[in-house]
Amino acid sequence: GGGTGGSGFGGSGGFGEAGGFRGGPGFDISAAIHYRTIHGILAALAMVVLFPVGSVAMRLLPGRLALWAHGLFQLAAMCIFIAGVGLGIYLVRMVRIPGTDGNLVSVSFFSLLTNDSTKYHPIVGLVTLATLLPQPILGWLHHRRFKQVQRRQFWSYLHIFNGRIGVTVGIINGGLGLQLAGASADRKRTYIIVAAVMWTLWMLVAIVAEMRRLRSGRRAERATERRMTAGRVAKVGSGDTR
């Protein structure tokens, strides 16, 4: 990619006040900043709030309420994230970054995807979307198989860990987006604190739930063993050795 004078488009690096680059192909900088703000809000709402809350609801709420809350939160998060990615794609098509591309005489204009200092955030965002899109199908397979066999199988673990990895990467990518946008230190700090708190609570609830599930499984195994032992003793006592 080409070299540029800046990594974002927050008002420096050759933007004209009338809505474009000075001396280059213009685009509406005010509209771009507006779309960028909405893009960031949507993606952060999905990644930092709705996805983790939907996962926590599955662990804390009782019975079918947990299933419905989980599904609705995750569906809302997915729709909001897709909208955010859509705006991000629109911005990639809209914005051009000025740079020299090694030529100190003429100025070229580069896409966010082809510029070394700006390409990582949109690429990671697309990878995150591709990772999370199968989640509804994986969740349905997990629920269907769990009802049949009453234990986790391959689809269960794929759904759980694919979601955790995808959302975690998405949260990190939000920080990359703030860096790309040239956000203020206060905004970056606020995002990091809120994201870290939400992610930590999400993981703590998941760990506690897993520990309880394992203890419950061990208790069930011991109860089964006791019943089997009692049955064998009863057969021996009655003289039935078949």
Side-chain angles (χ1 to χ4, degrees):
T4 72
S7 61
F9 52 96
S12 62
F15 285 97
E17 294 181 1
F21 290 115
R22 287 194 295 268
F27 66 89
D28 189 341
I29 180 63
S30 297
I33 292 174
H34 179 66
Y35 294 146
R36 185 187 66 190
T37 300
I38 297 174
H39 161 77
I41 291 171
L42 292 176
L45 177 62
M47 287 293 161
V48 177
V49 179
L50 294 178
F51 276 126
V53 169
S55 180
V56 168
M58 188 69 182
R59 308 290 184 180
L60 298 183
L61 296 178
R64 294 187 66 83
L65 179 60
L67 183 63
W68 279 102
H70 176 72
L72 290 174
F73 268 99
Q74 304 304 69
L75 180 61
M78 183 67 73
C79 292
I80 290 171
F81 183 57
I82 290 172
V85 171
L87 269 178
I89 293 172
Y90 182 77
L91 281 168
V92 167
R93 294 171 61 88
M94 176 184 187
V95 174
R96 290 295 178 266
I97 302 296
T100 60
D101 198 22
N103 184 344
L104 299 180
V105 178
S106 62
V107 175
S108 301
F109 294 85
F110 301 95
S111 164
L112 293 171
L113 280 176
T114 59
N115 185 270
D116 288 338
S117 64
T118 61
K119 65 183 180 182
Y120 298 106
H121 174 69
I123 289 174
V124 173
L126 292 173
V127 171
T128 301
L129 178 62
T131 301
L132 294 176
L133 275 178
Q135 281 297 95
I137 296 174
L138 294 176
W140 177 79
L141 288 171
H142 155 64
H143 179 65
R144 182 169 177 267
R145 292 296 296 161
F146 190 87
K147 285 182 66 177
Q148 292 173 346
V149 300
Q150 292 300 305
R151 66 176 183 272
R152 289 179 178 176
Q153 293 191 318
F154 169 76
W155 300 111
S156 305
Y157 293 104
L158 184 59
H159 176 66
I160 291 169
F161 287 101
N162 187 65
R164 289 175 183 172
I165 292 170
V167 173
T168 300
V169 172
I171 290 173
I172 295 171
N173 198 41
L176 294 178
L178 288 173
Q179 183 68 26
L180 173 61
S184 67
D186 286 342
R187 289 187 179 181
K188 292 177 185 176
R189 191 179 303 113
T190 300
Y191 178 84
I192 291 171
I193 291 172
V194 174
V197 168
M198 291 297 294
W199 188 88
T200 301
L201 290 174
W202 174 30
M203 289 297 108
L204 284 175
V205 170
I207 291 170
V208 170
E210 286 299 311
M211 293 174 63
R212 289 178 176 174
R213 188 181 69 85
L214 291 174
R215 284 199 298 267
S216 177
R218 285 195 292 266
R219 284 197 297 267
E221 289 177 0
R222 287 195 294 267
T224 300
E225 290 175 359
R226 285 195 295 269
R227 286 195 298 269
M228 293 176 64
T229 301
R232 287 194 294 267
V233 170
K235 285 183 178 181
V236 171
S238 65
D240 185 358
T241 58
R242 290 176 296 175

